[in-house]
Amino acid sequence: VACWGTSSSEELCGRPSGAPTSGGETVSGLALATQLSLGLLFACARLGDGSVSCWGSNLDGVLGAGTPPRARLPVRARGLSNVRSVTAGLSHVCAQRDDGSVWCWGSNEQQQLGGPGPGRTAPAVSEALSVAREVIAVSTSTGWLTADGALRHSDPTFRPGDFGSPTTARRLLSCGVGAGIFSVETRGGEVICY
């Protein structure tokens, strides 16, 4: 994994805050990264061994490793193995394991961890998301598809069909980093963002 730019919270390349990079610097400890997901001032990577490592600001416990204020280098999210996907919102992260279970951590201000309750500084299974076939974290929310393709959302006021969304979908897609929305690909191939 390589990165470049100016770091504002040590989230980039393991450099001190404000230290620019000219491009292509390797992030230490991520030689076997198979997936990346970016949040607000932090990043997480799924590694080839099925674990998840995160680095950057640890606001709301998004690194999943307890309570260090930040980590210049990637730290392993506690207790995760056999992870098949990881997805980060602004201040929360969800990881789906090979057994289908979904583990989330970070802020739960908008019930993005799957239901009411406090935020978490380490991964914990989300019972509400146990029916998920696919999960995506965006902004301050989490969306998921059930095995039969039904669309669900962490906002308790969301109802399938809201904002022009279909009631079923083939897969979830991101509409962009920080957009606060996600999209669905319908069974007919149409893509709808909301």
Side-chain angles (χ1 to χ4, degrees):
V1 174
C3 59
W4 53 93
T6 300
S7 174
S8 62
S9 184
E10 299 178 3
E11 79 279 6
L12 191 61
C13 301
R15 291 198 163 264
S17 205
T21 62
S22 59
E25 271 194 51
T26 300
V27 178
S28 199
L30 293 179
L32 301 175
T34 58
Q35 181 191 5
L36 293 174
S37 192
L38 308 175
L40 179 65
L41 303 176
F42 74 98
C44 292
R46 177 173 51 96
L47 304 180
D49 65 1
S51 66
V52 172
S53 288
C54 301
W55 67 102
S57 170
N58 196 29
L59 184 65
D60 295 315
V62 294
L63 301 184
T67 56
R70 64 181 54 89
R72 287 185 183 176
L73 299 176
V75 294
R76 267 200 196 200
R78 291 182 184 166
L80 284 179
S81 61
N82 302 315
V83 172
R84 71 176 176 212
S85 67
V86 63
T87 180
L90 287 179
S91 60
H92 74 292
V93 181
C94 291
Q96 190 163 30
R97 294 180 55 186
D98 289 338
D99 65 6
S101 64
V102 178
W103 297 64
C104 298
W105 62 98
S107 173
N108 197 35
E109 192 172 315
Q110 303 294 320
Q111 299 187 25
Q112 61 265 48
L113 303 184
R120 303 182 200 125
T121 60
V125 71
S126 175
E127 295 300 330
L129 301 178
S130 65
V131 297
R133 179 183 82 206
E134 190 175 351
V135 177
I136 190 166
V138 292
S139 187
T140 59
S141 63
T142 303
W144 65 96
L145 292 178
T146 63
D148 62 357
L151 178 62
R152 300 289 183 258
H153 193 274
S154 60
D155 180 344
T157 64
F158 173 84
R159 302 288 178 260
D162 285 355
F163 313 111
S165 69
T167 56
T168 62
R170 183 167 42 173
R171 67 184 177 140
L172 296 169
L173 306 165
S174 174
C175 284
V177 176
I181 55 176
F182 59 92
S183 64
V184 294
E185 181 182 346
T186 66
R187 294 185 191 278
E190 182 181 13
V191 175
I192 301 171
C193 280
Y194 65 95

Coordinates of all heavy atoms in Angstrom, one line a residue, residues 9-11 37-46 52-78 80 86-95 103-109 112-113 118-124 137-142:
S9 N -3.7 14.2 10.6 CA -3.9 13.5 11.9 C -3.1 12.2 11.9 O -3.5 11.3 12.5 CB -5.4 13.3 12.1 OG -5.6 12.7 13.3
E10 N -1.9 12.2 11.3 CA -1.0 11.1 11.3 C -1.7 9.9 10.6 O -1.3 8.8 10.7 CB -0.5 10.7 12.6 CG 0.2 11.8 13.3 CD 0.7 11.5 14.7 OE1 0.5 10.4 15.2 OE2 1.3 12.4 15.3
E11 N -2.8 10.1 9.8 CA -3.4 9.0 9.2 C -2.8 8.6 7.9 O -3.0 7.5 7.3 CB -4.9 9.3 8.9 CG -5.2 10.2 7.7 CD -5.0 11.6 7.9 OE1 -4.5 12.0 9.0 OE2 -5.2 12.4 7.0
S37 N -10.2 0.6 3.0 CA -11.4 1.4 3.2 C -11.0 2.6 4.1 O -10.3 2.5 5.1 CB -12.5 0.6 3.9 OG -13.7 1.3 3.9
L38 N -11.5 3.8 3.6 CA -11.1 5.0 4.3 C -12.2 5.7 5.0 O -13.3 5.7 4.5 CB -10.5 6.0 3.2 CG -9.5 5.5 2.3 CD1 -9.1 6.5 1.2 CD2 -8.2 5.1 3.0
G39 N -11.9 6.2 6.2 CA -12.9 6.9 7.0 C -12.4 8.4 7.1 O -11.5 8.8 6.3
L40 N -12.9 9.1 8.1 CA -12.4 10.4 8.4 C -11.2 10.4 9.2 O -11.2 10.0 10.4 CB -13.6 11.2 9.1 CG -13.2 12.7 9.4 CD1 -13.1 13.5 8.2 CD2 -14.3 13.2 10.3
L41 N -10.0 10.7 8.6 CA -8.7 10.8 9.2 C -8.2 9.4 9.7 O -7.4 9.3 10.6 CB -8.7 11.8 10.4 CG -9.1 13.2 10.0 CD1 -9.2 14.0 11.3 CD2 -8.2 13.8 9.0
F42 N -8.7 8.3 9.1 CA -8.2 7.0 9.4 C -8.4 6.1 8.2 O -9.2 6.4 7.3 CB -8.8 6.4 10.7 CG -10.3 5.9 10.4 CD1 -10.5 4.6 10.2 CD2 -11.3 6.8 10.5 CE1 -11.8 4.1 10.0 CE2 -12.6 6.3 10.3 CZ -12.9 5.0 10.1
A43 N -7.7 5.0 8.2 CA -7.9 4.0 7.1 C -7.8 2.6 7.7 O -7.2 2.4 8.8 CB -6.8 4.2 6.1
C44 N -8.4 1.6 7.1 CA -8.4 0.2 7.5 C -8.1 -0.6 6.3 O -8.5 -0.3 5.2 CB -9.7 -0.2 8.1 SG -10.1 0.6 9.7
A45 N -7.3 -1.7 6.6 CA -7.0 -2.6 5.5 C -7.3 -4.0 5.9 O -7.1 -4.4 7.1 CB -5.5 -2.5 5.2
R46 N -7.9 -4.8 5.0 CA -8.0 -6.3 5.2 C -6.8 -6.9 4.7 O -6.3 -6.6 3.6 CB -9.2 -6.8 4.5 CG -9.4 -8.3 4.6 CD -10.7 -8.8 4.0 NE -10.9 -8.3 2.7 CZ -10.7 -9.1 1.6 NH1 -10.1 -10.2 1.7 NH2 -10.9 -8.6 0.4
V52 N -7.7 -7.5 10.2 CA -7.9 -6.1 9.8 C -7.0 -5.2 10.6 O -6.8 -5.4 11.8 CB -9.4 -5.6 10.1 CG1 -9.5 -4.1 9.8 CG2 -10.3 -6.4 9.2
S53 N -6.3 -4.3 9.9 CA -5.4 -3.3 10.6 C -5.8 -1.9 10.2 O -6.2 -1.7 9.1 CB -3.9 -3.5 10.2 OG -3.4 -4.7 10.8
C54 N -5.8 -1.0 11.2 CA -6.2 0.4 10.9 C -5.2 1.3 11.5 O -4.4 1.0 12.4 CB -7.6 0.6 11.7 SG -8.9 -0.4 11.1
W55 N -5.2 2.5 10.9 CA -4.2 3.5 11.4 C -4.8 4.9 11.2 O -5.7 5.1 10.5 CB -2.8 3.4 10.7 CG -2.8 3.7 9.2 CD1 -2.4 4.8 8.6 CD2 -3.3 2.8 8.2 NE1 -2.5 4.7 7.3 CE2 -3.1 3.5 7.0 CE3 -3.8 1.5 8.1 CZ2 -3.4 2.9 5.7 CZ3 -4.2 1.0 6.9 CH2 -3.9 1.7 5.7
G56 N -4.2 5.9 11.9 CA -4.7 7.3 11.8 C -5.3 7.7 13.1 O -4.9 7.3 14.2
S57 N -6.2 8.7 13.1 CA -6.9 9.2 14.2 C -7.8 8.0 14.8 O -8.4 7.2 14.1 CB -7.8 10.3 13.9 OG -8.6 10.7 14.9
N58 N -7.9 8.0 16.1 CA -8.7 7.0 16.8 C -9.9 7.6 17.4 O -10.5 7.1 18.4 CB -7.9 6.2 17.8 CG -8.6 4.9 18.3 OD1 -9.3 4.3 17.5 ND2 -8.3 4.5 19.5
L59 N -10.4 8.7 16.9 CA -11.6 9.3 17.4 C -12.8 8.3 17.4 O -13.0 7.6 16.4 CB -12.0 10.5 16.5 CG -13.2 11.3 17.0 CD1 -12.9 12.0 18.4 CD2 -13.6 12.4 16.0
D60 N -13.5 8.1 18.5 CA -14.6 7.2 18.6 C -14.1 5.7 18.6 O -15.0 4.8 18.4 CB -15.7 7.4 17.6 CG -16.4 8.7 17.7 OD1 -16.7 9.1 18.9 OD2 -16.6 9.4 16.7
G61 N -12.8 5.5 18.7 CA -12.3 4.1 18.7 C -12.3 3.4 17.4 O -12.3 2.1 17.3
V62 N -12.2 4.1 16.3 CA -12.3 3.5 15.0 C -11.2 2.6 14.6 O -11.3 1.8 13.6 CB -12.4 4.6 13.9 CG1 -13.8 5.4 14.0 CG2 -11.3 5.6 13.9
L63 N -10.1 2.6 15.3 CA -9.0 1.7 15.0 C -9.2 0.3 15.5 O -8.6 -0.6 15.0 CB -7.6 2.2 15.6 CG -7.2 3.6 15.2 CD1 -5.8 4.0 15.8 CD2 -7.2 3.8 13.7
G64 N -10.2 0.2 16.4 CA -10.6 -1.2 16.8 C -9.6 -1.8 17.7 O -9.6 -3.1 18.0
A65 N -8.7 -1.1 18.3 CA -7.6 -1.6 19.1 C -7.6 -1.1 20.5 O -6.5 -1.0 21.2 CB -6.2 -1.4 18.4
G66 N -8.7 -0.6 21.0 CA -8.7 0.0 22.3 C -8.7 1.5 22.2 O -9.3 2.1 21.3
T67 N -8.0 2.2 23.1 CA -8.1 3.6 23.2 C -6.8 4.4 22.9 O -6.7 5.5 23.5 CB -8.6 4.0 24.6 OG1 -7.7 3.4 25.6 CG2 -10.0 3.5 24.8
P68 N -5.8 4.0 22.1 CA -4.8 5.0 21.8 C -5.3 6.1 21.1 O -6.3 6.0 20.3 CB -3.8 4.1 21.0 CG -4.6 3.1 20.3 CD -5.7 2.8 21.3
P69 N -4.8 7.4 21.3 CA -5.4 8.5 20.6 C -5.2 8.5 19.1 O -6.0 9.0 18.4 CB -4.6 9.7 21.2 CG -3.4 9.1 21.8 CD -3.7 7.7 22.2
R70 N -4.2 7.9 18.6 CA -3.9 7.8 17.2 C -2.8 6.7 17.0 O -2.1 6.4 18.0 CB -3.5 9.1 16.6 CG -2.2 9.7 17.1 CD -1.8 11.0 16.5 NE -2.8 12.0 16.7 CZ -3.0 12.8 17.7 NH1 -2.1 12.8 18.7 NH2 -3.9 13.7 17.7
A71 N -2.6 6.3 15.8 CA -1.6 5.3 15.5 C -1.0 5.7 14.1 O -1.7 5.7 13.1 CB -2.2 3.9 15.4
R72 N 0.3 6.0 14.2 CA 1.0 6.3 12.9 C 1.2 5.1 12.0 O 1.1 5.2 10.8 CB 2.4 6.9 13.2 CG 2.4 8.2 13.8 CD 3.8 8.7 13.9 NE 3.8 10.1 14.5 CZ 4.9 10.7 14.8 NH1 6.1 10.2 14.6 NH2 4.8 11.9 15.3
L73 N 1.3 3.9 12.6 CA 1.5 2.7 11.9 C 0.2 1.8 12.1 O -0.4 2.0 13.2 CB 2.7 2.0 12.3 CG 4.0 2.7 12.1 CD1 5.2 1.9 12.7 CD2 4.3 3.0 10.7
P74 N -0.1 1.0 11.2 CA -1.3 0.1 11.4 C -1.3 -0.7 12.6 O -0.2 -1.3 13.0 CB -1.2 -0.8 10.1 CG -0.4 0.0 9.1 CD 0.6 0.7 9.9
V75 N -2.4 -0.8 13.3 CA -2.6 -1.7 14.5 C -3.7 -2.6 14.2 O -4.7 -2.3 13.5 CB -2.9 -0.8 15.8 CG1 -1.7 0.0 16.2 CG2 -4.1 0.0 15.6
R76 N -3.6 -3.8 14.7 CA -4.6 -4.8 14.4 C -5.9 -4.6 15.2 O -5.8 -4.3 16.4 CB -4.1 -6.2 14.8 CG -3.5 -6.8 13.6 CD -3.4 -8.3 13.6 NE -2.4 -8.4 12.5 CZ -2.2 -9.5 11.8 NH1 -2.9 -10.6 12.2 NH2 -1.4 -9.5 10.8
A77 N -7.0 -4.7 14.5 CA -8.3 -4.6 15.2 C -8.4 -5.9 16.0 O -8.1 -7.0 15.6 CB -9.4 -4.5 14.2
R78 N -8.9 -5.7 17.3 CA -8.9 -6.8 18.2 C -9.9 -7.9 17.8 O -11.0 -7.6 17.5 CB -9.3 -6.4 19.6 CG -8.2 -5.5 20.3 CD -8.7 -5.1 21.6 NE -7.7 -4.2 22.3 CZ -8.0 -3.5 23.3 NH1 -9.2 -3.6 23.9 NH2 -7.1 -2.7 23.8
L80 N -10.4 -10.1 15.5 CA -11.0 -10.4 14.1 C -10.1 -11.4 13.4 O -8.9 -11.3 13.4 CB -11.1 -9.1 13.3 CG -12.2 -8.2 13.6 CD1 -12.2 -7.0 12.7 CD2 -13.6 -8.9 13.5
V86 N -14.1 -5.4 4.6 CA -14.1 -4.3 5.6 C -14.6 -3.1 5.0 O -14.3 -2.8 3.8 CB -12.7 -4.1 6.2 CG1 -11.7 -3.7 5.2 CG2 -12.8 -3.2 7.4
T87 N -15.4 -2.3 5.7 CA -16.0 -1.1 5.2 C -16.0 0.0 6.3 O -16.4 -0.3 7.4 CB -17.4 -1.3 4.6 OG1 -17.9 -0.1 4.1 CG2 -18.3 -1.9 5.6
A88 N -15.5 1.2 5.9 CA -15.5 2.3 6.9 C -16.4 3.4 6.6 O -16.5 3.8 5.4 CB -14.0 2.8 7.0
G89 N -17.1 4.0 7.6 CA -17.8 5.2 7.4 C -17.0 6.3 7.9 O -15.8 6.2 8.1
L90 N -17.6 7.5 8.3 CA -16.8 8.6 8.8 C -16.2 8.3 10.1 O -15.0 8.6 10.4 CB -17.7 9.8 9.0 CG -18.2 10.5 7.7 CD1 -19.1 11.7 8.1 CD2 -17.0 11.0 6.9
S91 N -16.9 7.6 11.0 CA -16.4 7.3 12.3 C -16.8 5.9 12.9 O -17.0 5.7 14.0 CB -16.9 8.4 13.3 OG -18.3 8.4 13.4
H92 N -17.0 5.0 11.9 CA -17.3 3.6 12.3 C -16.8 2.7 11.3 O -16.5 3.1 10.1 CB -18.8 3.4 12.6 CG -19.6 3.3 11.4 ND1 -19.9 4.4 10.6 CD2 -20.3 2.3 10.8 CE1 -20.7 4.0 9.6 NE2 -21.0 2.8 9.7
V93 N -16.6 1.4 11.6 CA -16.1 0.4 10.7 C -16.9 -0.9 10.9 O -17.3 -1.2 12.1 CB -14.6 0.1 11.0 CG1 -14.1 -1.0 10.1 CG2 -13.8 1.3 10.9
C94 N -17.2 -1.6 9.9 CA -17.8 -2.9 9.9 C -17.0 -3.9 9.1 O -16.5 -3.6 8.0 CB -19.2 -2.9 9.4 SG -20.4 -2.0 10.5
A95 N -16.8 -5.1 9.6 CA -16.1 -6.2 8.9 C -17.0 -7.4 8.9 O -17.6 -7.8 9.9 CB -14.8 -6.5 9.6
W103 N -19.1 -7.6 12.3 CA -18.5 -7.1 13.5 C -18.2 -5.6 13.3 O -17.7 -5.2 12.3 CB -17.1 -7.7 13.8 CG -17.3 -9.2 14.1 CD1 -17.7 -10.2 13.3 CD2 -17.0 -9.8 15.3 NE1 -17.7 -11.4 13.9 CE2 -17.3 -11.2 15.2 CE3 -16.5 -9.4 16.6 CZ2 -17.1 -12.1 16.2 CZ3 -16.3 -10.3 17.6 CH2 -16.6 -11.7 17.4
C104 N -18.7 -4.7 14.2 CA -18.6 -3.3 14.0 C -18.0 -2.6 15.2 O -18.1 -3.1 16.3 CB -20.0 -2.7 13.7 SG -20.8 -3.3 12.2
W105 N -17.4 -1.4 15.0 CA -16.9 -0.7 16.1 C -16.8 0.8 15.7 O -17.0 1.1 14.6 CB -15.5 -1.2 16.5 CG -14.4 -1.2 15.5 CD1 -13.5 -0.2 15.3 CD2 -14.2 -2.1 14.4 NE1 -12.7 -0.5 14.3 CE2 -13.1 -1.7 13.7 CE3 -14.8 -3.3 14.0 CZ2 -12.6 -2.4 12.6 CZ3 -14.3 -4.0 12.9 CH2 -13.2 -3.5 12.2
G106 N -16.6 1.7 16.7 CA -16.5 3.1 16.5 C -17.7 3.8 17.0 O -18.4 3.3 17.9
S107 N -18.1 4.9 16.4 CA -19.3 5.7 16.9 C -20.6 4.9 16.6 O -20.7 4.2 15.6 CB -19.3 7.0 16.1 OG -20.5 7.7 16.5
N108 N -21.6 5.1 17.5 CA -22.9 4.5 17.3 C -23.9 5.6 17.4 O -25.1 5.3 17.7 CB -23.2 3.4 18.2 CG -24.3 2.5 17.7 OD1 -24.5 2.3 16.5 ND2 -25.1 2.0 18.7
E109 N -23.5 6.9 17.2 CA -24.4 8.0 17.4 C -25.7 7.9 16.6 O -26.7 8.3 17.0 CB -23.6 9.3 17.1 CG -24.3 10.5 17.5 CD -23.5 11.7 17.3 OE1 -22.3 11.7 17.7 OE2 -24.0 12.7 16.8
Q112 N -25.3 3.3 13.7 CA -24.6 2.7 12.5 C -24.0 1.3 12.8 O -23.5 0.6 12.0 CB -23.7 3.7 11.9 CG -22.6 4.2 12.8 CD -22.9 5.5 13.5 OE1 -23.9 5.7 14.0 NE2 -21.9 6.4 13.4
L113 N -23.9 1.0 14.1 CA -23.3 -0.3 14.5 C -24.4 -1.4 14.5 O -24.1 -2.5 14.8 CB -22.6 -0.2 15.9 CG -21.5 0.8 16.0 CD1 -20.9 0.7 17.4 CD2 -20.5 0.7 14.9
P118 N -24.1 2.2 23.1 CA -22.9 3.1 23.1 C -22.0 2.6 21.9 O -22.1 1.5 21.4 CB -22.2 2.8 24.4 CG -22.7 1.4 24.8 CD -24.1 1.3 24.2
G119 N -21.1 3.5 21.6 CA -20.0 3.2 20.6 C -19.1 2.1 21.2 O -19.2 1.8 22.4
R120 N -18.2 1.6 20.4 CA -17.2 0.6 20.8 C -15.8 0.9 20.3 O -15.6 1.4 19.2 CB -17.6 -0.8 20.2 CG -19.0 -1.2 20.5 CD -19.3 -2.6 19.9 NE -20.7 -2.8 19.8 CZ -21.3 -3.2 18.7 NH1 -20.6 -3.3 17.6 NH2 -22.6 -3.4 18.7
T121 N -14.8 0.6 21.2 CA -13.5 0.8 20.8 C -12.8 -0.5 20.3 O -11.6 -0.5 20.0 CB -12.6 1.4 22.0 OG1 -12.7 0.4 23.1 CG2 -13.2 2.7 22.4
A122 N -13.5 -1.6 20.3 CA -13.0 -2.8 19.7 C -14.2 -3.5 19.0 O -15.4 -3.3 19.3 CB -12.5 -3.7 20.9
P123 N -13.9 -4.3 18.0 CA -14.9 -5.0 17.3 C -15.8 -5.9 18.1 O -15.3 -6.6 19.1 CB -14.1 -5.9 16.3 CG -12.8 -5.2 16.1 CD -12.5 -4.6 17.5
A124 N -17.1 -5.9 17.9 CA -18.0 -6.8 18.5 C -19.1 -7.2 17.5 O -19.4 -6.4 16.6 CB -18.7 -6.1 19.7
A137 N -20.5 0.6 4.9 CA -20.6 1.8 5.8 C -20.3 3.0 5.0 O -19.4 3.1 4.2 CB -19.5 1.6 6.9
V138 N -21.2 4.0 5.2 CA -21.0 5.3 4.6 C -21.3 6.4 5.6 O -22.3 6.2 6.4 CB -21.8 5.5 3.3 CG1 -21.4 4.6 2.2 CG2 -23.3 5.3 3.6
S139 N -20.6 7.5 5.6 CA -20.9 8.6 6.4 C -21.2 8.1 7.8 O -20.4 7.5 8.5 CB -22.0 9.5 5.8 OG -22.2 10.6 6.6
T140 N -22.4 8.4 8.3 CA -22.8 8.0 9.7 C -23.9 6.9 9.6 O -24.7 6.8 10.5 CB -23.3 9.2 10.5 OG1 -24.4 9.7 9.8 CG2 -22.2 10.2 10.7
S141 N -23.8 6.1 8.6 CA -24.8 5.0 8.5 C -24.2 3.7 8.0 O -23.1 3.7 7.5 CB -26.0 5.5 7.7 OG -25.6 5.7 6.4
T142 N -25.0 2.7 8.0 CA -24.6 1.4 7.5 C -25.8 0.8 6.7 O -26.9 0.9 7.2 CB -24.2 0.4 8.6 OG1 -23.2 1.0 9.4 CG2 -23.8 -0.9 8.1

